[in-house]
Amino acid sequence: MMVVLVVPIAALLIGVSLLLLGGGLLNTLVAVRGGLEGYSSATMGYIMSGYFMGFFLGTYLALPLVQRIGHIRAFALCAAVASSCVLLHAVLVDPVAWFVLRIVSGLVVVILYTVIESWLNGQASGDKRGQIFAIYMVVNLSSLAAAQQLMRLD
């Protein structure tokens, strides 16, 4: 029975899993790299809090952006910006730059979540919506937990 629910959304769940694996790994890598760069704990706290500031701001920007340019374009835009932010962490090794990149990362990730979850909500029938979102949350949390283990790979 569960297979019937998963097959139509399998590509989306795989995409979400990859997004969260990358995001979870980035969070760990930024903290480790900041320590290697000699940033203080307070500085790292400010840098890492930037993600949540962006996440908060993104909740206000998600709906207007999706309404203005549509779900597909909003997703593509935010995925491209998120990818660029990841790459720029390696190029711009500066606490202020990392703080700004973390804000932008949080902002675009919450918009990605909004697009993904609204698509899931639109695809799910009323009687199966809870089961589909339960599967989504299992994938979500499992991916975040698995991301930490990627640090052990050489």
Side-chain angles (χ1 to χ4, degrees):
M1 179 66 179
M2 197 62 66
V3 173
V4 175
L5 291 173
V6 173
V7 169
I9 59 170
L12 181 66
L13 293 176
I14 292 168
V16 166
S17 179
L18 292 173
L19 172 70
L20 291 167
L21 280 168
L25 181 59
L26 178 65
N27 290 340
T28 304
L29 286 174
V30 168
V32 169
R33 176 72 189 268
L36 293 174
E37 293 295 331
Y39 300 157
S40 70
S41 295
T43 300
M44 286 309 302
Y46 288 124
I47 290 170
M48 299 307 282
S49 70
Y51 177 84
F52 299 102
M53 290 173 60
F55 203 91
F56 176 74
L57 294 172
T59 61
Y60 292 103
L61 298 176
L63 185 59
L65 181 68
V66 170
Q67 288 175 335
R68 183 167 176 91
I69 67 174
H71 285 82
I72 295 170
R73 287 184 188 96
F75 187 89
L77 170 69
C78 291
V81 172
S83 300
S84 299
C85 284
V86 170
L87 296 173
L88 285 171
H89 277 88
V91 176
L92 304 172
V93 182
D94 176 73
V96 175
W98 281 9
F99 179 70
V100 171
L101 289 171
R102 299 296 294 157
I103 292 172
V104 174
S105 293
L107 192 139
V108 296
V109 165
V110 78
I111 296 171
L112 287 169
Y113 285 155
T114 302
V115 171
I116 290 164
E117 291 174 11
S118 67
W119 186 85
L120 271 176
N121 193 42
Q123 295 297 310
S125 62
D127 60 330
K128 301 294 182 197
R129 188 167 290 130
Q131 291 174 322
I132 288 175
F133 274 94
I135 294 167
Y136 169 73
M137 288 308 297
V138 167
V139 168
N140 195 322
L141 296 173
S142 299
S143 298
L144 284 174
Q148 305 304 307
Q149 301 308 311
L150 294 176
M151 286 290 292
R152 299 172 359 140
L153 299 177
D154 291 45

